[in-house]
Amino acid sequence: MDFSTTELAEIVSTRTCHDLIGNIGTLKNVLELIEPNAPMDSDTQNLLNGVSCVLNARQKFFRMAFGLETHASTSEDLLKICTDYVATVGTHGYPIQLCLRGASPQLSKPVCLCVMIASDVFIRSGSIDVNISKDNITVRAVTDFKFNENEIADYQKIIANQRPDSNLSQYAQLIYLREVLGTDVPMKLNVANNEMVLIIG
């Protein structure tokens, strides 16, 4: 399954826009309701703060994952950017925990894409462990609930070089990672009970 440069750009830009537009719309609507020179109540202030935090976290993460020649300054910075992003995709009250092992700033792009791949399969809470060794990258997602089975099924198709029936932009992270690493790099996805393991390399 090959994509032209234009198709790949469309897939990535559609996904990032989709993940930003909801909060941008909320921000626009709230700002339109604020009276000029009127005091802002605490609920409105909290809503604006929450929306701006989500937008800031996602923008930084997407720039790292899909941007040109971008990487974190330190391993701690990379962890914070990924952790802040994961906090924006978890269901309210059901957080997703994240652990990065062996992740250096130079590997920011593949690390972010792996985090995004794992975070998309959760319906509720869980944990993500990304372990980078000299042999491979192992991405493990664990949950006490069910995974998004359609997402995983389409991941399997993409890894098998098949085109899923769903909107391709939904899988921008996996499609782009294959392009970044090269389609000859092996990927294997195993799912058993409440655990998903993606092995790259």
Side-chain angles (χ1 to χ4, degrees):
M1 181 175 55
D2 296 322
F3 297 97
S4 69
T5 304
T6 301
E7 285 178 313
L8 194 60
E10 290 171 343
I11 290 168
V12 170
S13 61
T14 300
R15 174 60 194 262
T16 54
C17 288
H18 174 272
D19 284 13
L20 295 174
I21 195 65
N23 284 280
I24 291 173
T26 300
L27 182 62
K28 177 179 180 294
N29 292 337
V30 171
L31 291 175
E32 286 177 349
L33 294 173
I34 296 174
E35 300 273 345
N37 303 319
M40 190 181 301
D41 62 68
S42 61
D43 288 342
T44 303
Q45 184 67 55
N46 290 337
L47 180 58
L48 288 174
N49 287 339
V51 168
S52 64
C53 285
V54 169
L55 288 171
N56 186 50
R58 290 188 176 185
Q59 183 273 331
K60 284 183 178 179
F61 182 86
F62 290 150
R63 184 170 184 268
M64 197 84 68
F66 300 113
L68 183 64
E69 298 180 4
T70 56
H71 59 79
S73 55
T74 64
S75 296
E76 292 75 18
D77 184 41
L78 176 58
L79 177 60
K80 179 172 180 4
I81 288 170
C82 290
T83 301
D84 288 349
Y85 169 77
V86 167
T88 73
V89 298
T91 304
H92 183 67
Y94 296 95
I96 299 170
Q97 304 299 319
L98 175 65
C99 177
L100 302 181
R101 292 182 287 161
S104 66
Q106 292 73 25
L107 297 172
S108 294
K109 185 181 293 293
V111 167
C112 287
L113 293 169
C114 287
V115 167
M116 195 172 176
I117 288 166
S119 64
D120 269 15
V121 300
F122 290 107
I123 295 176
R124 290 190 177 176
S125 60
S127 64
I128 298 170
D129 182 277
V130 179
N131 184 22
I132 299 176
S133 69
K134 62 179 183 178
D135 299 318
N136 56 42
I137 300 173
T138 303
V139 184
R140 178 173 279 102
V142 180
T143 184
D144 291 331
F145 303 93
K146 291 182 178 181
F147 286 122
N148 184 331
E149 294 177 358
N150 292 333
E151 193 90 10
I152 290 176
D154 283 340
Y155 279 175
Q156 294 278 24
K157 286 184 179 180
I158 292 169
I159 290 171
N161 208 30
Q162 299 170 9
R163 189 176 288 256
D165 297 329
S166 306
N167 186 335
L168 285 175
S169 66
Q170 188 174 338
Y171 310 107
Q173 63 277 17
L174 180 56
I175 292 169
Y176 190 64
L177 180 63
R178 285 179 62 84
E179 292 293 324
V180 168
L181 298 179
T183 54
D184 58 330
V185 173
M187 289 188 182
K188 185 178 181 181
L189 185 65
N190 297 316
V191 182
N193 298 322
N194 297 341
E195 181 178 70
M196 180 194 82
V197 180
L198 172 65
I199 300 172
I200 304 167

